[in-house]
């Protein structure tokens, strides 16, 4: 039963992580995501109190052209993911639209306007407080040992103990059956040679 529970917990996590890892390699200039949803860890308090440091937020794929003032978008700037609110929409030197963004806790708008190709998605409003800190810790050597190596080692140790226990139980059952069979043969006189007559 414990093995089933562990499989139910670990297999989806492993699959999601593999998808995120593969997508990050296939598209290094984009946030990795699964089914159009991209998780992101918040590292600054620029959107406080709506989004706080250490939160894990979820960004949905979107059409940048459909974005409007007040929407919260996640975009890449110099390889860094930033999640800010749209304060306005302007036009760049190339005639293309640009998003003017600003963190809710910041006093001024962001220095550089955001082009559509920088947009990674729109914040869905979903966040898990503090989970981002746990994810960051899991990426450290100590976190990997604590959350990945230790659980796997415990699972394998439990599996070995369970198999040995089953083998012992099976051996005991086989020995009991053999003893019962031997007793039955003795009762029926099976296994004794013919009686000699003189």
């Amino acid at each position: 039963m414990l093995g089933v529970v562990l499989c139910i917990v670990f297999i989806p996590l492993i699959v999601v992580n593999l998808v995120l890892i593969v997508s990050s390699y296939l598209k290094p200039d984009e946030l990795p995501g699964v089914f159009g949803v991209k998780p992101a860890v918040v590292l600054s308090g620029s959107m406080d109190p709506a989004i706080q440091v250490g939160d894990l937020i979820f960004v949905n794929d979107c059409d940048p052209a459909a974005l409007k003032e007040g929407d919260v978008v996640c975009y890449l700037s110099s390889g860094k993911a930033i999640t800010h609110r749209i304060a306005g929409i302007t036009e760049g030197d190339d005639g293309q639209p640009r998003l003017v963004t600003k963190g809710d806790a910041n006093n001024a708008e962001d220095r550089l306007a955001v082009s559509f190709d920088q947009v990674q998605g729109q914040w869905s409003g979903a966040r898990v407080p503090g989970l981002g800190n746990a994810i960051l810790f899991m990426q450290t050597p100590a976190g990997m040992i604590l959350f990945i190596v230790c659980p796997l080692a415990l699972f394998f140790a439990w599996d070995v103990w369970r198999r040995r226990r089953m083998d012992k139980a099976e051996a005991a059952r086989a020995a009991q059956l053999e003893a019962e069979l031997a007793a039955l043969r003795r009762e029926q006189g099976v296994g004794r040679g013919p009686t000699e007559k003189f």
Side-chain angles (χ1 to χ4, degrees):
M1 183 63 182
L2 180 60
V4 173
V5 172
L6 289 173
C7 286
I8 291 172
V9 171
F10 277 111
I11 289 177
L13 288 175
I14 292 170
V15 170
V16 169
N17 281 330
L18 284 175
V19 170
L20 291 175
I21 291 168
V22 170
S23 63
S24 68
Y25 277 104
L26 293 177
K27 300 176 181 179
D29 56 341
E30 293 183 15
L31 283 179
V34 180
F35 304 121
V37 179
K38 302 172 182 179
V41 177
V42 179
L43 301 176
S44 79
S46 62
M47 283 295 292
D48 193 66
I51 306 173
Q52 300 178 2
V53 176
D55 287 354
L56 178 69
I57 63 171
F58 299 93
V59 177
N60 296 331
D61 284 341
C62 67
D63 176 11
L67 293 169
K68 59 187 183 302
E69 187 175 334
D71 290 340
V72 177
V73 294
C74 180
Y75 63 93
L76 291 182
S77 178
S78 301
K80 179 182 176 183
I82 300 172
T83 304
H84 280 174
R85 195 177 303 277
I86 298 175
I89 300 176
T90 186
E91 189 176 285
D93 295 335
D94 57 359
Q96 297 299 314
R98 295 283 191 276
L99 304 176
V100 178
T101 55
K102 176 183 176 296
D104 289 355
N106 293 347
N107 295 324
E109 296 172 348
D110 298 334
R111 187 172 59 86
L112 298 175
V114 179
S115 61
F116 282 1
D117 59 356
Q118 291 176 265
V119 175
Q120 298 300 299
Q122 181 177 1
W123 179 45
S124 64
R127 71 182 181 99
V128 183
L131 185 57
N133 286 330
I135 291 173
L136 290 176
F137 175 70
M138 287 174 63
Q139 294 174 354
T140 65
M144 288 182 181
I145 291 172
L146 185 62
F147 287 98
I148 298 175
V149 176
C150 287
L152 286 175
L154 287 172
F155 173 75
F156 285 122
W158 171 82
D159 190 55
V160 169
W161 173 81
R162 182 182 63 87
R163 289 176 186 274
R164 286 183 179 176
R165 187 178 177 187
M166 289 174 63
D167 289 344
K168 285 181 180 179
E170 188 65 30
R173 190 161 47 248
Q176 182 182 358
L177 287 174
E178 286 180 6
E180 290 175 357
L181 184 59
L184 186 61
R185 284 177 175 170
R186 281 194 301 272
E187 287 177 5
Q188 295 179 350
V190 177
R192 288 183 296 182
T195 304
E196 292 185 5
K197 294 182 178 179
F198 295 97

